[in-house]
Amino acid sequence: MSKTPKKANLPSKICTVCGRPFVWRKKWQTCWEHVRYCSERCRRNRRSVNH
């Protein structure tokens, strides 16, 4: 059996900038609770949306 979850069972969140849902990625396995943005573009644009 594989240790990685099936794609249908991956956790998801809503991006705080664009409002789109995004799912867990392997590169976020150690910091998933801190991830707030779906992409680097949204992370860079976070200040322009909040003002």
Side-chain angles (χ1 to χ4, degrees):
M1 293 283 300
S2 147
K3 290 184 181 182
T4 56
K6 302 272 186 201
K7 286 187 178 185
N9 297 331
L10 293 175
S12 65
K13 291 184 179 183
I14 303 295
C15 179
T16 57
V17 175
C18 67
R20 294 180 178 164
F22 62 98
V23 294
W24 180 91
R25 296 180 188 170
K26 183 151 177 85
K27 70 178 183 177
W28 292 330
Q29 71 184 14
T30 59
C31 60
W32 176 244
E33 62 275 357
H34 302 292
V35 175
R36 296 173 47 198
Y37 311 106
C38 64
S39 65
E40 185 66 25
R41 182 178 179 185
C42 281
R43 189 186 66 77
R44 275 189 258 121
N45 291 331
R46 69 185 183 265
R47 290 183 193 93
S48 62
V49 172
N50 291 336
H51 286 121

